[in-house]
Amino acid sequence: MRSSKQYVNLSHNKVENHLKTLQNEFEEEVVPTDTVTYKLRQFFWSNFFGFVYHYFKSRFGKRYPYQSYPKDGDSGVYQIPNDATLALLSDWATDTIESDLVGRLVARYQADYTLHLGDVYFVGAPKEIRANFLNPDASWPWGTQGSLALSGNHEMYSNGRGYFEELLPRMGVDQAGVRVSQKAGFFCMENDHWRIIGLDTGYTSVRNPIMEIINPPDCRLKDSQVQWLREQVKMGDASDSRGLIFLSHHPVFSVFRNAFPKPGEQLREILGEANRPVAWIYGHEHRMVIYHTQELKNSLTVHGRCIGHGGMPVELKAPETHDPIYFMDDRIRTRLRRRDVSYNGFAYLTLQGPNAVMKYIDVEDTMIFQENWRVEKGAVIVEKADAV
C-alpha cells in the first residue's frame, strides 16, 4: 500500500507519473530501514532503462484501439430501477490508506451501483489496476447490481491497455438477471425519469509530446461516441423529458485550473431543441466543490459538481475567484509535506422516481453537504442545497 505523501504535488506530467510508478515498485522490494534518498538513488540507477522504455512506449507508442457501441449486441444503454442508489468516486485509485478507507466505507453503504470517474495512479498500469480493483485485498466497493468505470488521463499515460484489457472486462451491470460487462469507455444508465450518461474524455486527453505542444488536447468526444449519443442514446429527442446527469473525468467548468469546454459544446449541438439544464459531475481536480449554476458559452446550462477528492491529497489552494462557488470543503484534515490537505470522500446519489438526493460524505462518514434535485420537463432543478 502506498503513502499519500507520494501524491502531494503530483503533476499531470507523464514522465513524473511513470517515475512514480517504477519508484513504488522498487520501494515494495527494499527493506524498511532504507532511507528515502537511498531508495530513490538505487531505484534510479537500477531501473533507468526500464523507466526509459515505459516512458517512450507511453509517449510515442500506439494507444489501445478505441472501443465503441454497439458491440456484441450491447448498445451501452442499461436499464436501472426508478428507485436506485449510486456511489460516485473520482481520482480514487491511489492504493493508499485513505483510498482504502473510502472504498471500505462506500462498501458499507451497499449501493446498487458504484461508478469510478477515472484516474488510476500513477499511470493506469495493469499492476495498478489490479492493486486497486481486482486483487483479493483490493478495496474497490463493488455495487450490488454492478460497477462501471470511466477513463481519466492517467489511464492513458500507459496507452489505456490496463484500463481496456483488465478493468473493463470486470466492470458491468445486471440486466434482467444477466451480468453485462462494460465494453467501452462510456455508457448510459436510464430509468423512467433519469438518464445518467458517462462520457469518455480520457482517451482524447493525451497526445504525443510534439502534438501536445502544437495542439493541446481538448478532451473532445470522439466521432464514434458522438454517433452513439445520437443513434443509440437518441439524446436529441425533444420528446424525451428525462433529467440528464452527465459524468466525466474532466471538468467542463472550473475556477481552479483549465476546464475543458469542448465536450459541453458537442453535447449542446447533439441536444439541439432538446437542450435543457443538466447536472454534470466530474473529477480531475482533487477537491470537492459545488458550483452555482453556470450558463456556459456555446454550451449548456450546468449544475457543476467536482468530486475529485476520492483518494488523492485534497487540495486547499484558493481559487482566483470565489464567485461561481456555492460550497467548497475547505476543512483541514492533516498536513503532508508542509501542505494542508482536506478530507477524502465520495458522493452518494439516491434516485426516487423524478426526485433525487445527492449526499457528499467524507472519509470519516460525515455528511458535509446535501442537495435535492427534481426533473421538470426534462430540466434538472436544484430544489435545496445546504452544507450540513
Side-chain angles (χ1 to χ4, degrees), residues 12-209:
H12 291 274
N13 183 279
K14 290 185 186 177
V15 179
E16 178 180 351
N17 282 279
H18 270 296
L19 183 61
K20 289 283 189 179
T21 294
L22 294 173
Q23 173 189 339
N24 183 72
E25 292 178 358
F26 175 76
E27 288 179 346
E28 290 178 352
E29 300 174 359
V30 300
V31 295
T33 54
D34 284 344
T35 65
V36 172
T37 302
Y38 179 71
K39 293 176 184 177
L40 285 173
R41 182 170 65 249
Q42 186 174 356
F43 150 74
F44 181 81
W45 289 110
S46 63
N47 292 277
F48 176 76
F49 292 106
F51 164 68
V52 171
Y53 167 76
H54 283 287
Y55 168 64
F56 281 102
K57 182 180 178 181
S58 173
R59 291 298 266 179
F60 299 101
K62 186 177 181 179
R63 278 185 292 180
Y64 194 87
Y66 194 68
Q67 305 297 300
S68 187
Y69 294 108
K71 184 176 182 181
D72 300 331
D74 185 357
S75 68
V77 179
Y78 307 119
Q79 304 303 310
I80 63 174
N82 287 336
D83 294 345
T85 56
L86 303 91
L88 310 176
L89 302 90
S90 189
D91 301 77
W92 167 83
T94 57
D95 192 25
T96 59
I97 292 175
E98 287 79 4
S99 67
D100 185 76
L101 289 172
V102 170
R104 299 192 188 283
L105 173 60
V106 173
R108 283 168 32 199
Y109 278 75
Q110 296 185 314
D112 297 323
Y113 306 95
T114 54
L115 310 178
H116 190 240
L117 306 193
D119 269 5
V120 177
Y121 295 91
F122 292 97
V123 296
K127 181 177 181 179
E128 295 167 334
I129 296 288
R130 294 191 290 269
N132 286 282
F133 293 92
L134 307 181
N135 289 345
D137 60 348
S139 56
W140 173 250
W142 296 95
T144 61
Q145 301 300 311
S147 292
L148 297 169
L150 298 176
S151 169
N153 43 295
H154 282 256
E155 287 86 338
M156 297 310 301
Y157 288 168
S158 56
N159 292 320
R161 189 162 299 279
Y163 172 74
F164 286 106
E165 289 188 346
E166 302 229 6
L167 184 58
L168 288 197
R170 293 289 296 274
M171 292 286 165
V173 294
D174 291 344
Q175 295 289 281
V178 177
R179 177 58 61 93
V180 178
S181 63
Q182 185 177 349
K183 300 177 180 64
F186 49 90
F187 54 83
C188 174
M189 308 171 73
E190 63 179 23
N191 59 28
D192 293 336
H193 306 279
W194 299 92
R195 311 190 87 186
I196 302 171
I197 301 176
L199 302 168
D200 180 8
T201 61
Y203 198 88
T204 55
S205 67
V206 297
R207 291 191 178 101
N208 67 53

Side-chain angles (χ1 to χ4, degrees), residues 295-367:
E295 295 185 9
L296 304 181
K297 183 179 180 181
N298 299 323
S299 185
L300 305 172
T301 298
V302 171
H303 311 300
R305 310 292 185 253
C306 179
I307 59 166
H309 63 320
M312 288 288 288
V314 182
E315 303 169 14
L316 285 169
K317 183 180 179 181
E320 295 181 1
T321 174
H322 285 83
D323 292 344
I325 296 177
Y326 184 85
F327 174 84
M328 172 181 171
D329 187 7
D330 57 2
R331 298 171 300 154
I332 298 174
R333 180 182 68 85
T334 189
R335 192 168 179 83
L336 298 174
R337 293 187 174 176
R338 300 185 299 278
R339 290 191 62 182
D340 292 331
V341 296
S342 189
Y343 289 76
N344 297 100
F346 66 101
Y348 193 78
L349 176 63
T350 300
L351 303 180
Q352 300 170 319
N355 302 306
V357 178
M358 179 76 98
K359 298 179 180 179
Y360 302 84
I361 301 166
D362 73 14
V363 66
E364 296 180 354
D365 201 17
T366 300
M367 184 173 66

Side-chain angles (χ1 to χ4, degrees), residues 242-287:
R242 288 175 288 185
L244 295 175
I245 302 174
F246 292 117
L247 311 176
S248 66
H249 178 72
H250 295 88
V252 69
F253 175 81
S254 175
V255 295
F256 293 92
R257 291 206 303 248
N258 290 335
F260 299 88
K262 185 61 179 180
E265 296 170 3
Q266 292 175 286
L267 294 175
R268 175 65 183 89
E269 182 180 354
I270 295 169
L271 280 167
E273 295 182 0
N275 184 40
R276 68 263 204 188
V278 304
W280 197 320
I281 305 165
Y282 43 82
H284 192 59
E285 298 179 344
H286 307 140
R287 50 178 53 90

